[in-house]
C-alpha cells in the first residue's frame, strides 16, 4: 500500500478532519509501538511499511515492556 493511500484510509476509518490529523495519529501509534516491540518484530513490521512511514518507527536497541493502557497514553500524549 502506498503512503497517501494508507493515510487516507486512516483518516476515513478514524473520521478525522484531514490528512494532517491522520499523519499525527499514525506517527504517534508507530512510535509507541516501536518502543514496545523487540527489535526483530520492529524489523519485520518496518519492512512492510511504505518508506515515508518507516521514519516513524524509531530505531532503538532496547524496548520497554508496558501495558496497553500505557500504549494509549503514549499515543495520546504525542497527538495532543
Amino acid at each position: 500500500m502506498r503512503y497517501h493511500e494508507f493515510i487516507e484510509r486512516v483518516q476515513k476509518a478514524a473520521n478525522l478532519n484531514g490528512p494532517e490529523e491522520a499523519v499525527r495519529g499514525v506517527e504517534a501509534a508507530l512510535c509507541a509501538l516501536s518502543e514496545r516491540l523487540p527489535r526483530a518484530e520492529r524489523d519485520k513490521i518496518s519492512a512492510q511499511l511504505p518508506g515515508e512511514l518507516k521514519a516513524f518507527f524509531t530505531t532503538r536497541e532496547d524496548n520497554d515492556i508496558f501495558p496497553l493502557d500505557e500504549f494509549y497514553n503514549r499515543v495520546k500524549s504525542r497527538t495532543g
Side-chain angles (χ1 to χ4, degrees):
M1 181 180 306
R2 294 198 165 108
Y3 173 77
H4 296 291
E5 184 181 348
F6 184 86
I7 295 300
E8 184 178 298
R9 285 187 182 192
V10 169
Q11 179 184 342
K12 287 179 182 178
N15 197 28
L16 300 173
N17 292 326
E20 299 83 13
E21 285 186 21
V23 169
R24 274 197 313 272
V26 168
E27 179 179 6
L30 288 177
C31 286
L33 184 60
S34 71
E35 292 169 353
R36 174 65 174 86
L37 295 175
R39 183 173 185 85
E41 293 300 315
R42 289 193 312 257
D43 290 346
K44 288 178 188 176
I45 292 172
S46 180
Q48 302 298 313
L49 294 172
E52 298 91 340
L53 296 178
K54 289 180 184 187
F56 299 151
F57 233 53
T58 60
T59 55
R60 298 169 33 147
E61 289 300 319
D62 57 345
N63 62 317
D64 298 329
I65 303 298
F66 52 85
L68 185 59
D69 288 346
E70 177 61 18
F71 173 83
Y72 293 143
N73 288 335
R74 290 180 188 209
V75 172
K76 182 179 175 182
S77 72
R78 288 183 169 113
T79 59

